[in-house]
Amino acid sequence: MDSRSHGWCSLPRPAIAAAVLLAVSLAATPAASHGGHDDTGLHSNYLIIVRKPYEYDTNVYKNVSSWHASLLTSVCDMAKETLEKDPSSMSRLIYSYRNVVNGFAARLTPEEVEEMSKKDWFVHAYPEKTYQLQTTHTPQLLGLMGSARRGGVWNTSNMGEGIIIGILDDGIYAGHPSFHGRDMKPPPAKWNGRCDFNETVCNNKLIGARSFFESAKWKWKGLRDPVLPINEGQHGTHTSSTAAGSFVAGANIFGNALGTAGGMAPRAHIAFYQVCYVEKGCDRDDILAAVDDALEDGVDILSLSLGDEQADDFSDDPVSLGGYTAAMHGVLVSAAGGNTGPGPSTVVNEAPWVLTVGAGTTDRRFVATVKLGDNVSLDGESLSEPKNFGDEMRPLVRDVGDGMCTSENVLRAMNVTGKIIICDAGGELSSAKAKMALRAGAAGMILVSPQVFGSVVVPRPHVLPTVQVPFATAQKIKAYIRTAQNSTANFIFKGTVFNTPKSPVVAPFSSRGPNRRSRGILKPDIIGPGVNILAGVPKIEDMEFGPDEEMPKFDIKSGTSMAAPHLSGIAALIKNAHPTWSPAAIKSALMTTADSTDNVRKPISDSDGSPATYFALGAGYVNARKAMDPGLVYNLTAADYVPFLCGLNYTDQRVNMIIHPSPPVECAKMPKLEQKDLNYPSITAILDQTPFSATIARSATNVGAAASTYAVEVDVPASLSVEVKPPTLAFKELNEVLNYTVSVKTASGRAPAGTIEGELKWVSGKYVVRSPILVCPGTGRSAATPATERT
């Protein structure tokens, strides 16, 4: 029997279209599932890219979803054996995309994909791919608090009122006090989304909550019903409350960081989209479907703390694909830059239309001192302060096993009862080490941070008194143990301390440039608070509580996942104050006003104490107060990125996969734009051929004072010559655009030996509009060559 006589394939095309409407909804559509279907295990998830424009007859196919369904049925005759077991082949349509890509996600066999590749509508099939998450004081630190006269951002932006922030993450604890809706106005009329929780937790704060689990239902049998966007983990609740959490008095973690918690935009609305799961990570198809729906729901900002380190180019990456479509809709995407630093070329989410966020410290520490028997005091940090540790000196010993305290038997054999033990990083989680040491009778633990972390300590709560110290500090303690006849120590817990000198520093885990997919665009763009951030959580992980103990509602987490929602919330504040600004203008305001110096007016340091390079720092550490009023911005539309993509020598197919225009773009028929000439807030020149010079074009838009004149200031090492024409920009009105060029060349006329860093500033009264200047050698030299010269 011909396979087309079965089920869906037996229907004429109009009937197929009508029937599909019963199985596929109008929104970024998960296919209807059929409870009796027995998956053979021969299928895999694929993202299918189709040609543009959509050549479908609206009298036959009522929408894009039904058209995609018809395309899928066209390969049914290549799966006769499968269809006999599964007549309802259309239950294998997972998502039909309307915005982010031209295509759909479906369950297919390799044979079906092979047959599909012969169709004239077929462009490409991508196999399933998963991605990973990148994981109270900051409002004051960033200048959000204070009166409008003193520049308090909350007063000038109404705390982000009316702005909708879409969060893509791993689940949310909807009943957390950070998401109460008291004193919140209803969402704006444009809001078109839904909240799948009941009305007791859906409110004017948490206006949207959905789970995108369709791509996994085929793997995890029995999960056929709608899934609520909940998760026992902390990540999504933490990032959401950081971006736009409501005020919660008395927030703390075991008495530390006590204060009133609040997100960056405490009056903004939250729309939550669950795309990450413990069982499977973050699936590409789910991410694209969530972005697809979020844009139609009416979000203003998208915050993504996930990424892909393996994508070959921007057309392979869902954050890049969704981010470009978001730019077309006027929505800024703020994305985590990754947690695989400090190695070079580790940054993710590098597309120029995405705000790529790295992580730095704040000026807050949770100080605890290790006092040694020779009266030397060494500082570390702790979240494990006991009620009464006492002031007596205790014996201090080092694990004689592997040094990492991974064997309880070794600890017991050492007789650590009543002693303080020092444990190196590695092996078990620190929480497990603490439990082992407690069972062995230890009085306290000194936990050594990895050497690569430098001066940065990321404390966690533990079940016994614990002080976490930098690697260099630990070496001093170990040297004392080796030389002292009877080594002793005690802990002095000093609690939360602010205004730590030489803050911020770049987090050691924060991923670094150069940008692998576009070396001519500096990434990360900016860094923000991402170390020891207190925000809402469902529970404290790796801690046990008695039946009468109250579970803490806040916890400390670190990662670029924590930095990205800070920038998302600040972007919401800017959007409220400047509702007509494009995503590129908001991004420019953040970058050109970022701080390049720390709180003692020295260049911001890396965690090892050396000056941070632009590959670690981007434009600098976010300064929300200045970003609200930047003076000038470097604007771009979504269309401006098209010649840039052609200039990367992408094929027409890959360009059209990203921008999905109608009609399709042909790069041969349009001018190509060199990376250096994209109107970006930072300036990167690759000098890879004689005469080792470049001229870069920029266009500045006046958003400050109507009549204003800006004078240029350039600060570069002597090995570099820079000329700016014209040297002044005289604006006569708001939104006026003036052009200038920057000519750079090596003073020697030879190729640069390594990267060279400088800066360009346009100065007019209170306005200082700063752009980093990065000059790189050619690819013949290492793209990750350390900066050998800087101003």
Side-chain angles (χ1 to χ4, degrees), residues 273-326:
Y273 303 86
Q274 184 183 30
V275 296
C276 302
Y277 306 87
V278 173
E279 300 92 344
K280 70 186 188 84
C282 316
D283 189 89
R284 175 201 58 215
D285 302 339
D286 295 333
I287 296 168
L288 289 173
V291 175
D292 216 36
D293 278 12
L295 297 178
E296 292 192 352
D297 288 347
V299 303
D300 298 292
I301 307 291
L302 275 172
S303 187
L304 289 77
S305 291
L306 47 85
D308 175 27
E309 299 168 19
Q310 306 301 325
D312 293 328
D313 61 43
F314 299 133
S315 67
D316 290 335
D317 177 15
V319 176
S320 298
L321 292 170
Y324 184 85
T325 307

Side-chain angles (χ1 to χ4, degrees), residues 486 669 720:
N486 295 299
K669 296 182 179 180
L720 195 67

Side-chain angles (χ1 to χ4, degrees), residues 463-712:
V463 295
L464 85 166
T466 299
V467 177
Q468 296 175 236
V469 298
F471 182 86
T473 300
Q475 305 319 300
K476 297 177 182 178
I477 297 173
K478 292 176 183 179
Y480 163 70
I481 294 175
R482 289 194 300 268
T483 57
Q485 188 171 2
N486 295 299
S487 55
T488 59
N490 188 35
F491 295 160
I492 302 171
F493 297 94
K494 299 179 179 179
T496 307
V497 175
F498 300 98
N499 300 316
T500 303
K502 299 182 180 180
S503 297
V505 302
V506 178
F509 53 77
S510 188
S511 294
R512 314 302 167 97
N515 185 338
R516 292 166 296 141
R517 291 185 257 181
S518 178
R519 285 189 63 216
I521 303 296
L522 175 62
K523 291 285 179 169
D525 291 309
I526 196 168
I527 66 170
V531 178
N532 302 333
I533 303 302
L534 183 77
V537 295
K539 64 178 182 179
I540 302 292
E541 295 177 338
D542 302 320
M543 293 289 290
E544 298 173 359
F545 296 88
D548 298 328
E549 292 182 281
E550 183 179 0
M551 176 71 73
K553 295 181 174 63
F554 293 85
D555 196 5
I556 297 291
K557 291 186 77 68
S558 298
T560 56
S561 285
M562 285 64 252
H566 277 90
L567 271 294
S568 303
I570 295 169
L573 301 178
I574 298 174
K575 183 71 174 178
N576 173 281
H578 306 284
T580 63
W581 281 13
S582 69
I586 296 173
K587 179 177 179 177
S588 174
L590 291 164
M591 291 176 63
T592 60
T593 59
D595 291 329
S596 59
T597 56
D598 60 22
N599 59 359
V600 294
R601 299 185 180 181
K602 298 292 184 181
I604 292 176
S605 296
D606 214 327
S607 56
D608 63 0
S610 64
T613 70
Y614 288 161
F615 289 141
L617 190 63
Y621 193 91
V622 62
N623 186 319
R625 184 176 296 171
K626 292 181 179 178
M628 295 295 295
D629 186 17
L632 305 176
V633 295
Y634 296 97
N635 208 1
L636 286 164
T637 67
D640 292 329
Y641 297 110
V642 178
F644 162 81
L645 290 170
C646 291
L648 292 178
N649 294 320
Y650 280 19
T651 63
D652 290 349
Q653 175 181 307
R654 290 197 174 273
V655 172
N656 288 301
M657 284 170 59
I658 297 169
I659 67 174
H660 43 87
S662 180
V665 162
E666 295 181 60
C667 286
K669 296 182 179 180
M670 65 185 307
K672 295 182 178 180
L673 186 72
E674 293 186 50
Q675 298 175 62
K676 65 181 177 63
D677 292 322
L678 186 69
N679 199 39
Y680 213 68
S682 57
I683 296 171
T684 302
I686 300 173
L687 304 186
D688 55 358
Q689 55 187 329
T690 56
F692 302 109
S693 63
T695 299
I696 298 113
R698 287 293 184 269
S699 299
T701 301
N702 181 25
V703 294
S708 53
T709 299
Y710 288 78
V712 73

Side-chain angles (χ1 to χ4, degrees), residues 221-260:
K221 295 186 173 64
L223 296 176
R224 303 295 191 189
D225 298 323
V227 179
L228 290 176
I230 58 176
N231 190 296
E232 292 185 356
Q234 297 182 332
H235 203 275
T237 302
H238 199 283
T239 56
S240 299
S241 57
T242 297
S246 300
F247 292 117
V248 180
N252 71 93
I253 175 169
F254 302 120
N256 293 287
L258 179 63
T260 297

Side-chain angles (χ1 to χ4, degrees), residues 431-443:
S431 57
K433 296 181 184 183
K435 292 173 184 177
M436 243 186 286
L438 181 65
R439 289 194 298 267

